[in-house]
Amino acid sequence: MQFIIHPGDELPIYRQIMRQITDALAGGRLKGGDKLPSHRELAEELVIAPLTVKKAYDELEALGFIKTERGRGTFVCAKLPKFKPAEQRKQIEASARKLVAQAHLAGLDFDEISEVLKEAERELRQGQRSLASSSLANSGSRKEES
């Protein structure tokens, strides 16, 4: 799995790591039982503090996405957490309202918003993140393979 970190992004680095792991789960690029790099390995590759990776892993573990087995490593849980459909729908609706408002302020119509969503889904499935749609496209990014 490839991790891309953008130090200048408004999203903290540990959250960027969390998002990339959850995106990989959603896109099917990570599956139950897959091994993740250790805190130290990933920190060295991304040139960040090991505690930053630990924080991301700790939060993902608390949410039920990954598990750490002492002496073996960190793995994607075989059984991922299930969220209540009503709660999920409320969160999605709130995000959709925010997206539509932001898009309209930017001058996009519904068809253009729909195209943006379709592209986002394609990128999720392919394991890529759009750099043009956010402040992620700054020259201070770090990219490493893991």
Side-chain angles (χ1 to χ4, degrees):
M1 178 173 169
Q2 183 179 28
F3 289 90
I4 301 171
I5 299 301
H6 305 279
D9 192 351
E10 64 185 39
L11 194 63
I13 292 173
Y14 81 97
R15 290 271 185 202
Q16 292 178 45
I17 294 168
M18 289 176 64
R19 177 176 286 165
Q20 289 178 49
I21 291 172
T22 56
D23 283 356
L25 287 166
R29 294 178 318 280
L30 276 178
K31 297 184 182 356
D34 285 353
K35 188 172 195 252
L36 296 174
S38 73
H39 301 149
R40 287 194 178 111
E41 290 170 341
L42 187 54
E44 283 179 17
E45 290 174 14
L46 298 177
V47 191
I48 59 174
L51 287 176
T52 302
V53 178
K54 182 180 182 339
K55 185 172 183 176
Y57 280 15
D58 286 349
E59 289 206 19
L60 287 167
E61 190 162 11
L63 292 169
F65 289 105
I66 64 174
K67 64 181 176 183
T68 301
E69 297 177 10
R70 191 173 187 96
R72 292 196 59 226
T74 303
F75 301 87
V76 174
C77 289
K79 196 171 190 180
L80 296 176
K82 298 285 183 194
F83 299 100
K84 295 179 182 174
E87 287 178 17
Q88 282 184 323
R89 183 165 179 98
K90 283 182 185 179
Q91 289 177 343
I92 292 167
E93 287 171 352
S95 295
R97 281 190 294 277
K98 184 177 178 180
L99 171 68
V100 169
Q102 186 177 6
H104 282 299
L105 288 172
L108 299 178
D109 64 23
F110 186 78
D111 290 335
E112 291 169 310
I113 296 168
S114 179
E115 190 56 41
V116 167
L117 289 171
K118 288 176 185 175
E119 180 63 25
E121 182 179 24
R122 280 191 295 272
E123 290 171 356
L124 179 69
R125 301 235 182 263
Q126 294 172 356
Q128 300 168 351
R129 304 222 356 131
S130 172
L131 299 179
S133 65
S134 72
S135 63
L136 301 180
N138 63 54
S139 60
S141 65
R142 297 180 189 143
K143 179 178 177 179
E144 292 294 330
E145 289 263 346
S146 63

